[in-house]
């Protein structure tokens, strides 16, 4: 996940962050060490003269990290601080079930959401013609029943609910799996 930070026209020399006072709402409600996770990309000059950079990294736990202090320093040594939230979304899931030769048939589609996603989280499978099916995560996977597979692409996304009424976080969509009709001619 990433968080964008933009400064004014004075130019940006460095951008750092201080997560020592950050509060994290993770899926297992643990205290999370958010330091040494994010790194700032080199600053780039925008068309309007402002400078921008992106904080990137791979926090170890999906969650919403609040009160992360970002400090921008310009070439004259002036600093600007901003408190930001960093949302760490689940990774895109993987559809494990092949839908080749399944058009017109019922299928139980298995979607792998990876590690660290709590049981009971929702996986949504979207198919052709705005069809949508859901399943619940159990031990890193969700099995989603599709009553009649249609020809076309299917993609999946994971939705997790944060504790303490902090809302939901959704993954990006998975790589598509394409269903195709049975091309084998019956033999008499």
């Amino acid at each position: 996940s990433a968080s964008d930070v933009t400064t004014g026209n004075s130019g940006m020399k460095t951008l750092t962050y201080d997560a020592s006072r950050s509060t994290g709402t993770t899926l297992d409600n643990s205290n999370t060490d958010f330091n040494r996770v994010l790194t700032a990309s080199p600053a780039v000059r925008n068309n309007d003269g402002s400078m921008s950079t992106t904080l990137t990294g791979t926090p170890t736990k999906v969650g919403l990290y609040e009160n992360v202090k970002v400090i921008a320093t310009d070439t004259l040594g002036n600093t600007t601080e901003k408190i930001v939230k960093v949302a760490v979304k689940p990774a895109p899931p993987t559809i494990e079930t092949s839908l080749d030769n399944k058009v017109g048939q019922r299928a139980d589609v298995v979607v792998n959401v990876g590690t660290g996603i709590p049981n009971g989280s929702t996986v949504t499978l979207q198919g052709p013609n705005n069809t949508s099916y859901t399943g619940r995560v159990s031990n890193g996977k969700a099995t989603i029943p599709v009553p009649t597979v249609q020809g076309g692409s299917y993609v999946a996304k994971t939705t997790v609910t944060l504790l303490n009424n902090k809302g939901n976080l959704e993954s990006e969509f998975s790589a598509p799996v394409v269903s195709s009709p049975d091309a084998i001619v019956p033999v008499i």
Side-chain angles (χ1 to χ4, degrees):
S1 184
S3 179
D4 295 325
V5 178
T6 302
T7 66
N9 294 338
S10 63
M12 186 180 345
K13 181 179 178 185
T14 61
L15 185 123
T16 58
Y17 74 98
D18 175 7
S20 62
R21 294 191 179 133
S22 68
T23 54
T25 301
T26 58
L27 299 178
D28 60 3
N29 210 20
S30 63
N31 292 328
T32 302
D33 180 4
F34 195 64
N35 284 308
R36 298 174 306 281
V37 173
L38 294 179
T39 56
S41 66
V44 294
R45 185 170 298 281
N46 299 320
N47 290 336
D48 65 0
S50 66
M51 302 289 285
S52 64
T53 189
T54 302
L55 296 175
T56 58
T58 309
T60 57
K61 291 183 182 287
V62 172
L64 181 67
Y65 300 86
E66 300 174 288
N67 304 312
V68 177
K69 182 172 28 174
V70 178
I71 303 130
T73 305
D74 68 15
T75 54
L76 301 176
N78 301 312
T79 60
T80 301
E81 295 181 1
K82 183 176 181 181
I83 303 298
V84 298
K85 292 181 184 179
V86 179
V88 181
K89 298 179 179 180
T94 303
I95 300 173
E96 292 185 342
T97 305
S98 171
L99 295 176
D100 279 344
N101 303 319
K102 298 284 187 186
V103 172
Q105 300 176 38
R106 182 188 187 288
D108 287 329
V109 178
V110 176
V111 179
N112 186 329
V113 298
T115 59
I117 303 299
N119 289 340
S121 296
T122 303
V123 176
T124 304
L125 182 70
Q126 293 185 336
N129 303 315
N130 295 320
T131 55
S132 182
Y133 311 94
T134 58
R136 297 285 180 189
V137 173
S138 177
N139 298 318
K141 295 186 180 187
T143 301
I144 304 171
V146 178
T148 306
V149 175
Q150 300 179 38
S153 291
Y154 285 81
V155 291
K157 69 178 175 181
T158 306
T159 303
V160 296
T161 300
L162 296 171
L163 301 173
N164 305 322
N165 298 314
K166 294 290 184 177
N168 297 329
L169 293 174
E170 290 186 347
S171 70
E172 299 295 322
F173 281 108
S174 66
V177 169
V178 178
S179 58
S180 59
D182 184 349
I184 301 171
V185 177
V187 176
I188 300 177

